[in-house]
Amino acid sequence: MKDKIMSNEMYYSQTHEWARVDGDTVTVGITPFAAEHLSDLIFIQLPKAGAQVKQGAPFSEIESVKTVSDINSPVSGQITEVNEAVAGNLNAISTDALGTGWLIKVKLSGTDELKKLITADAYKKLCDSEGGH
């Protein structure tokens, strides 16, 4: 896996979402590994700002030519912002999943949940075990 894909400034979930913490707000997206494995993206259903999300529970669905997959929230809290631009430009997820391809921003309900997420090194090992390179 390319080094640029992994960032030590982020947390990762076992279900291939990333979380970047900035104060009490967490930006969430799917990892480049997930985007690569989904391949050609067709549709994403985004939630509304103001909705509540729960750690490990789906907040969105993404459809590709291969499958429809849930996107789970790595943290609990209230969605404060939705990246509506990705709905019209799914290429942002495929080409810049950690940047312009972010999906939601969540106001954290508590920081203890971050301890349940994994580091970049642990996530790399997970990807390697699932056929990453």
Side-chain angles (χ1 to χ4, degrees):
M1 182 171 296
K2 299 173 187 171
D3 289 340
K4 71 176 187 174
I5 292 173
M6 310 310 295
S7 172
N8 289 324
E9 299 172 358
M10 297 179 175
Y11 296 93
Y12 300 87
S13 69
Q14 301 278 339
T15 54
H16 304 288
E17 291 85 13
W18 57 264
R20 182 183 304 120
V21 181
D22 183 16
D24 66 351
T25 300
V26 176
T27 304
V28 174
I30 65 169
T31 66
F33 179 84
E36 180 181 320
H37 281 76
L38 286 169
S39 72
D40 297 326
L41 302 177
I42 298 171
F43 177 77
I44 187 165
Q45 180 180 0
L46 293 170
K48 300 287 184 199
Q52 294 289 322
V53 291
K54 187 172 181 174
Q55 186 176 42
F59 70 85
S60 176
E61 282 186 348
I62 191 164
E63 182 177 352
S64 73
V65 295
K66 291 182 175 179
T67 189
V68 176
S69 298
D70 287 335
I71 302 175
N72 301 312
S73 182
V75 295
S76 298
Q78 182 176 31
I79 298 173
T80 58
E81 191 174 342
V82 176
N83 187 1
E84 300 285 349
V86 298
N89 179 20
L90 293 172
N91 194 41
I93 298 171
S94 302
T95 60
D96 191 19
L98 302 179
T100 59
W102 66 273
L103 301 176
I104 59 172
K105 294 188 179 189
V106 177
K107 184 174 182 181
L108 273 176
S109 60
T111 57
D112 285 349
E113 290 180 342
L114 296 174
K115 296 174 187 170
K116 296 177 183 174
L117 301 175
I118 58 178
T119 64
D121 287 340
Y123 183 69
K124 183 180 182 315
K125 289 177 184 171
L126 173 69
C127 293
D128 289 345
S129 73
E130 294 184 4
H133 42 87

